[in-house]
Amino acid sequence: MKRIDFASMQYFVAVCETGSIARAAEREHIVPSAVSKRLGELEALFGVPLLDRGARGVSPTVAGEALLFHARDVLRSLDRLHAELSEYALGVRGRVSIHANISAVVEFLPEDLRSFMAAHEGIKIDLQEHLSTDILRAVLEGRTDLGVVSQVHGLDGLECFPYRSDELVAIVRPEHPLAGAEITSYATSLAFDHVGLSHNSSLYSLLEREAEALGLTRRLRIHVSGFDAVCRMVEVGLGVGIVPERVGGFFAAALGLRIVRLDDAWARRELQLVVRDRSCLSVAARLLLDHLLGRDATP
């Protein structure tokens, strides 16, 4: 195994991604014969065919798929190592990647990250908003250090920690029939048109699932991509919005809307922090994880 080198893995990944030795060689700025030689050495080393070669190009065998998964993981780790060491040379003590769903990005992370960065000025953070299902995949594949998701299935292979709780509420115009109530049920709100998030959001799936469990249909007049857009559509009278309470409170004050609490138990949600393996996190990532969990730093 000591004979495996990073360049051979990189060429193998390039061939799998381009489907062609010639295109991979062009991408890697090397002659095709050199790529072919490296691939032959890999196959000889492992003792199994790694590529199916055909008239239309090449594709990984079953063994090649396994190597592709691990090669990508190794190369990503190498890239992160290079980036982190480069930051050290510039006086920066680390970089952490975090993917979070829209609820966490809007409700909780701004204040938490501000306090963390005030205490750790040398650590840079790359925060990206994604859907919960995509976040789990990114954590599992090593494309991000930490993830923040709502309660979802598919946590196998990941370490999970409770982060924050939020509550979903209905938000309506002042003249809406629900505006005079302090609390209502989701079933009652379904008598009216709704404004919804995109089909692939976790909140959309939750609300559709709960409507189906009630034997009812959610009448969606429009789909939008974010909570700010939901509230704006509510403002112009396109329907009822279901949003996290803190989001609703902010936009209700700005847009003159009314908040109505939901009495459904599922409206209280738990946000989770997920990592692939805490023991394998960088010192900077472990510091951030502990900060978000309200723990003393234990790098």
Side-chain angles (χ1 to χ4, degrees):
M1 292 301 101
K2 292 182 179 180
R3 294 168 53 195
I4 302 175
D5 62 86
F6 294 126
S8 294
M9 286 192 291
Q10 185 169 328
Y11 299 153
F12 176 75
V13 170
V15 169
C16 292
E17 290 179 347
T18 61
S20 163
I21 291 176
R23 286 194 295 270
E26 182 179 357
R27 190 176 93 174
E28 298 299 321
H29 306 290
I30 190 174
V31 296
S33 59
V35 174
S36 295
K37 181 174 182 295
R38 294 292 189 113
L39 296 178
E41 290 172 350
L42 282 176
E43 290 183 319
L45 178 63
F46 288 110
V48 293
L50 298 174
L51 294 169
D52 286 323
R53 297 164 172 83
R56 296 186 177 182
V58 297
S59 60
T61 63
V62 174
E65 289 282 2
L67 177 60
L68 178 62
F69 174 83
H70 292 288
R72 282 173 169 161
D73 198 26
V74 169
L75 293 172
R76 280 194 296 266
S77 296
L78 185 63
D79 287 341
R80 287 196 298 270
L81 173 62
H82 182 270
E84 188 167 331
L85 292 181
S86 297
E87 296 287 359
Y88 276 107
L90 297 173
V92 177
R93 295 192 299 275
R95 180 185 297 272
V96 185
S97 170
I98 178 169
H99 287 190
N101 66 8
I102 187 172
S103 297
V105 170
V106 173
E107 292 188 274
F108 305 114
L109 285 173
E111 290 80 10
D112 286 348
L113 294 181
R114 179 187 62 187
S115 59
F116 176 79
M117 297 180 77
H120 304 280
E121 294 183 358
I123 296 177
K124 291 186 177 180
I125 294 176
D126 174 19
L127 172 63
Q128 297 182 33
E129 177 195 316
H130 291 279
L131 301 173
S132 289
T133 51
D134 295 334
I135 294 168
L136 295 178
R137 189 179 306 113
V139 174
L140 193 60
E141 294 177 356
R143 290 185 282 113
T144 188
D145 300 306
L146 281 71
V148 187
V149 299
S150 300
Q151 291 168 309
V152 291
H153 301 291
L155 292 173
D156 293 345
L158 300 175
E159 294 186 36
C160 180
F161 307 90
Y163 174 45
R164 295 290 189 89
S165 300
D166 74 351
E167 183 173 349
L168 296 173
V169 298
I171 188 166
V172 296
R173 284 175 59 88
E175 67 273 16
H176 193 277
L178 293 178
E182 290 191 7
I183 188 167
T184 190
S185 67
Y186 181 53
T188 300
S189 80
L190 292 174
F192 307 95
D193 290 336
H194 274 227
V195 176
L197 289 173
S198 58
H199 291 80
N200 54 359
S201 71
S202 57
L203 180 55
Y204 173 88
S205 299
L206 171 64
L207 295 175
E208 288 294 301
R209 187 167 60 248
E210 294 302 329
E212 184 178 351
L214 292 166
L216 299 172
T217 300
R218 191 161 63 123
R219 303 199 310 262
L220 288 170
R221 296 195 67 187
I222 189 169
H223 294 274
V224 294
S225 60
F227 291 132
D228 54 344
V230 169
C231 294
R232 282 284 291 121
M233 297 303 153
V234 172
E235 182 195 19
V236 299
L238 291 183
V240 177
I242 304 294
V243 299
E245 183 178 23
R246 292 184 62 176
V247 173
F250 175 81
F251 284 103
L255 302 177
L257 303 176
R258 299 287 186 268
I259 290 176
V260 184
R261 301 176 71 87
L262 296 174
D263 62 9
D264 304 85
W266 53 263
R268 263 77 49 197
R269 304 187 302 168
E270 299 296 326
L271 296 178
Q272 309 284 334
L273 280 161
V274 293
V275 299
R276 187 163 59 170
D277 185 345
R278 183 188 182 280
S279 64
C280 293
L281 292 175
S282 67
V283 171
R286 286 200 299 271
L287 285 171
L288 177 56
L289 175 63
D290 287 337
H291 180 84
L292 296 177
L293 294 175
R295 300 173 177 174
D296 293 332
T298 54

